[in-house]
Amino acid sequence: MSSPQPVVFIHGLWVHASSWQPWIDLFENEGYTAVAPLWPGEHNTVEASRAHADDAADKTIDDVVAHFQTIADSFEVQPILIGHSFGGLVVEKLLGQGYGAAGVAIDPAQIKGVLPLPLNQLRSSFPVLGNPGNLHKAVSLTEEQWRFGFGNALSEEESSALWNSWNIPSPARPLFQAAVANFALHSEAEVATGNDDRAPLLLIAGGQDHTVPETVVDATLRQYRDSNAVTELITFTDRGHSLTIDHGWNQLATEILVWLRQQSLGQ
């Protein structure tokens, strides 16, 4: 009997890795083996990550990608890579470099070449980008900022509960790197989108997302137009940036499982 297909879940900024636990339980129940590793400098619990914010400071996109390269290399077979927000950007980077049996990028942070800058996205990132002094710091979101960036499609009560449960300080530097990517000759937010040999990629957009609006994910899809590799997009029109951790996460996870089976990666 073959070993279970491994899956690596990669979270984004401001959310702790343990938020993936319901996904891990679901995927393992479906026959996969799954992990949700910490980011560099992140601690094992939400509370410890909040108490030691400086440990996560000043990490770059390449620092995070290298960290997950090592994790991917630890498996005997290439893992499925599933990432949210900046975790989605990390998935895209890794796939472009030849890692992964398949990749799913959920509300992925914009890569170099993506041009739209919707007003909601600017507003959601302003708490970090509005202060250049944040560059080398780890920054957290207030409950009000979380409500706009993550919980706008939810009730106030659910948004507040998610903020209390999962919000942690995260390095600001990747957000600054993505913001200036189109003005930099060599940007860490650049992805090898033309790679014909990479594994299949599924992009997922939330139609109500303020942090990574649907137009940004649509523009990301267009960046892959010169690749013959499988690249597909699913949009959940009524979902915001919290779609991996809110009450509707199971609907999203089920769609991903269906897509993985279509790529012959079902268990």
Side-chain angles (χ1 to χ4, degrees), residues 109-117 178 182 215-217 219-221 223:
Q110 67 263 44
I111 62 176
K112 183 174 181 177
V114 172
L115 300 179
L117 281 172
N182 291 325
T215 55
V216 173
V217 187
T220 300
L221 177 65
Q223 291 298 305

Side-chain angles (χ1 to χ4, degrees), residues 3-68:
S3 299
Q5 169 68 50
V7 180
V8 176
F9 293 105
I10 308 174
H11 68 82
L13 302 178
W14 304 305
V15 179
H16 192 267
S18 58
S19 64
W20 286 113
Q21 191 58 50
W23 291 71
I24 291 173
D25 295 341
L26 174 64
F27 272 67
E28 293 196 334
N29 188 57
E30 293 292 327
Y32 299 89
T33 181
V35 295
L38 303 170
W39 273 38
E42 184 179 350
H43 288 261
N44 285 331
T45 65
V46 170
E47 293 75 16
S49 296
R50 291 170 178 169
H52 302 281
D54 289 347
D55 292 349
D58 213 26
K59 302 298 187 293
T60 67
I61 292 173
D62 278 356
D63 290 336
V64 180
V65 170
H67 174 72
F68 283 97

Side-chain angles (χ1 to χ4, degrees), residues 19-160:
S19 64
W20 286 113
Q21 191 58 50
W23 291 71
I24 291 173
D25 295 341
L26 174 64
F27 272 67
E28 293 196 334
N29 188 57
E30 293 292 327
Y32 299 89
T33 181
V35 295
L38 303 170
W39 273 38
E42 184 179 350
H43 288 261
N44 285 331
T45 65
V46 170
E47 293 75 16
S49 296
R50 291 170 178 169
H52 302 281
D54 289 347
D55 292 349
D58 213 26
K59 302 298 187 293
T60 67
I61 292 173
D62 278 356
D63 290 336
V64 180
V65 170
H67 174 72
F68 283 97
Q69 284 173 341
T70 300
I71 291 168
D73 283 335
S74 70
F75 295 97
E76 292 183 1
V77 298
Q78 287 287 347
I80 295 166
L81 304 169
I82 300 177
H84 173 244
S85 197
F86 259 94
L89 184 152
V90 171
V91 167
E92 291 184 73
K93 288 271 289 186
L94 290 171
L95 250 64
Q97 296 169 356
Y99 289 87
V104 180
I106 306 164
D107 295 340
Q110 67 263 44
I111 62 176
K112 183 174 181 177
V114 172
L115 300 179
L117 281 172
L119 289 176
N120 283 337
Q121 185 180 29
L122 292 172
R123 179 178 168 186
S124 68
S125 61
F126 185 78
V128 177
L129 299 180
N131 180 2
N134 286 331
L135 176 61
H136 300 292
K137 297 179 179 179
V139 179
S140 192
L141 298 181
T142 67
E143 187 171 354
E144 181 181 4
Q145 291 163 350
W146 173 279
R147 171 75 170 150
F148 184 83
F150 278 77
N152 60 289
L154 307 176
S155 68
E156 187 172 347
E157 291 75 17
E158 184 175 8
S159 177
S160 179

Side-chain angles (χ1 to χ4, degrees), residues 12 19 94 96 103 144 163 178 181 200 211 218 229 260 264:
S19 64
L94 290 171
E144 181 181 4
W163 177 79
T211 298
D218 289 342
L260 289 172
S264 301

